[in-house]
Amino acid sequence: YRDLHTFELQAPTRLIEWAHGSRVCVAGYGQSDGNEILQLIPPPTLLTKETQGLCPERDFKVECGGFSERPVYSLKYVLDTSLLVTSGPPDSSLQVWQVSAEDSDVIKSVSHIAAENDTGQSWAKIATISARAPWVLHGSRLDRVQITEVESRKNVYTAASGGSEELSGLAFLDCNTLLLCCATGQLCLADIRQPQNLVEAVSVPSAPCSEQWCMGTRHGAQGLEPSSQPVARLSSRGLLTLTDLRKTSEFLALAKARVPSPGSGAEFLCVSWAPALEGCLAISGFDGTVHVYDTQSWDSSGREAEPIFVHKGHAFGGAGGSGDPPLVTVHTWHLQKPRTLLSAASDGSLHVWDWVQPCGKC
């Protein structure tokens, strides 16, 4: 490691979200009332663009916080506002939160966004954008996807689909184009200017019916078409696919990650592209580790890929609340520092780490 910071949360968290001013938002997912939502100030070394060496202050600090009556399974910061949007069981409604002003340390609930035809639906996956107005894209199934204006709660768009597959993720590619990923691995493109047209699905390699998938999208450089950026999909067996949305008939690359077989499920699967490293992605959700891969040498053979770095800090941090070894529940990349990641685990540990660059690697 070049650097490693740790912070112990009061409860397990399954999400990390960058907020304004390089703040970090986390939230608990326990089943009891009183799940914390916290905004943390990172250690000073993470707030500078250049590595400053030794620093006397190495801890996160709680800047403000609040409590949710329901588990928080997804949280997104709404860019250019002081609002957070969360979702979680028992239904697919959303909760909107106001991050406090400087003279207060409270994150308070300000509104509730109900989903249409919500009977029997699971918690909603969410994405936000503020290119035109603060919007939230949300839904739990392919035929329940909509865009809502956060502040007015006005419905902006509802996708038309005959399928009812469960969603594992969704994303804005730009202010008009949406990407939806089903738990079966199926990808669908939608254009809000053509609500009746949900574009063809992109298949995945044949796999057992029980296999679950998630996706990670990559934001390109300014002036580059979003559709030209590859979409990564990760399965509960550790299969990784890279797809160019401009040519969906074939894979850009196919590889097998060196991970253990999943145990109880695939609810914590996570794959993400590095925003400041070409061709690098990270995966987690199988055990107490985070794997980083350089995809630039991958082909369509599907052979096992060698990670360039494995973060094992959570695995050695002790047992989780159930007595089982800690499981990494989520990870995310630092927005400016190329090889810096944040990860959280089921034992409440939050790690920020930066690995030494191997010779010839990203």
Side-chain angles (χ1 to χ4, degrees), residues 230-288:
V231 176
R233 279 174 288 177
L234 170 67
S235 83
S236 53
R237 288 190 301 144
L239 193 63
L240 281 155
T241 71
L242 306 185
T243 304
D244 187 334
L245 295 178
R246 299 169 301 179
K247 189 177 181 181
T248 60
S249 59
E250 60 187 44
F251 296 113
L252 283 176
L254 184 64
K256 179 71 169 63
R258 188 178 296 177
V259 295
S261 299
S264 57
E267 62 177 326
F268 298 120
L269 283 183
C270 182
V271 56
S272 63
W273 286 103
L277 287 177
E278 183 66 29
C280 280
L281 58 76
I283 67 170
S284 63
F286 296 89
D287 54 17

Side-chain angles (χ1 to χ4, degrees), residues 5 18 22 42-48 60 334 336-337 340 342 352:
H5 302 267
W18 286 104
S22 296
T45 55
L46 289 184
L47 300 178
T48 59
F60 284 85
H334 194 283
Q336 288 87 33
K337 293 179 178 289
T340 299
L342 291 82
V352 185

Side-chain angles (χ1 to χ4, degrees), residues 53-342:
L54 293 176
C55 180
E57 181 57 67
R58 298 180 57 82
D59 291 333
F60 284 85
K61 291 184 177 180
V62 177
E63 183 173 35
C64 54
F67 289 93
S68 171
E69 295 182 353
R70 60 171 68 198
V72 182
Y73 276 30
S74 187
L75 178 151
K76 293 294 180 181
Y77 169 66
V78 184
L79 193 64
D80 299 328
T81 73
S82 58
L83 299 175
L84 299 171
V85 181
T86 65
S87 66
D91 54 40
S92 58
S93 63
L94 308 182
Q95 290 70 50
V96 182
W97 304 80
Q98 174 78 53
V99 178
S100 303
E102 294 181 0
D103 59 347
S104 173
D105 60 359
V106 177
I107 297 177
K108 61 181 180 179
S109 176
V110 292
S111 65
H112 169 92
I113 298 175
E116 296 181 4
N117 303 319
D118 193 33
T119 305
Q121 301 301 315
S122 60
W123 63 279
K125 284 66 179 178
I126 55 179
T128 58
I129 195 172
S130 59
R132 298 173 178 171
W135 285 357
V136 57
L137 169 66
H138 56 107
S140 59
R141 295 189 177 274
L142 199 55
D143 57 352
R144 296 289 187 270
V145 176
Q146 59 191 86
I147 296 175
T148 304
E149 190 173 292
V150 176
E151 294 171 318
S152 67
R153 288 175 283 174
K154 175 185 176 183
N155 179 270
V156 177
Y157 164 86
T158 300
S161 172
S164 59
E165 291 86 351
E166 182 182 355
L167 290 173
S168 63
L170 35 72
F172 283 101
L173 296 181
D174 57 33
C175 60
N176 292 313
T177 313
L178 319 174
L179 182 63
L180 316 175
C181 181
C182 299
T184 57
Q186 183 184 47
L187 286 181
C188 291
L189 279 167
D191 191 317
I192 67 173
R193 296 164 295 189
Q194 300 174 332
Q196 301 303 316
N197 185 20
L198 200 61
V199 180
E200 66 189 79
V202 182
S203 63
V204 293
S206 58
C209 296
S210 60
E211 189 168 23
Q212 301 289 299
W213 291 79
C214 68
M215 75 167 179
T217 57
R218 182 182 175 195
H219 300 287
Q222 187 173 3
L224 200 60
E225 288 294 327
S227 60
S228 69
Q229 299 304 300
V231 176
R233 279 174 288 177
L234 170 67
S235 83
S236 53
R237 288 190 301 144
L239 193 63
L240 281 155
T241 71
L242 306 185
T243 304
D244 187 334
L245 295 178
R246 299 169 301 179
K247 189 177 181 181
T248 60
S249 59
E250 60 187 44
F251 296 113
L252 283 176
L254 184 64
K256 179 71 169 63
R258 188 178 296 177
V259 295
S261 299
S264 57
E267 62 177 326
F268 298 120
L269 283 183
C270 182
V271 56
S272 63
W273 286 103
L277 287 177
E278 183 66 29
C280 280
L281 58 76
I283 67 170
S284 63
F286 296 89
D287 54 17
T289 66
V290 181
H291 290 210
V292 180
Y293 291 91
D294 181 359
T295 69
Q296 294 181 89
S297 62
W298 288 8
D299 55 29
S300 58
S301 66
R303 61 174 176 259
E304 186 173 88
E306 180 76 23
I308 61 173
F309 188 78
V310 179
H311 174 58
K312 301 180 180 179
H314 296 286
F316 298 110
S322 64
D324 297 324
L327 172 68
V328 173
T329 55
V330 70
H331 72 266
T332 189
W333 294 80
H334 194 283
L335 300 178
Q336 288 87 33
K337 293 179 178 289
R339 291 184 305 281
T340 299
L341 289 93
L342 291 82

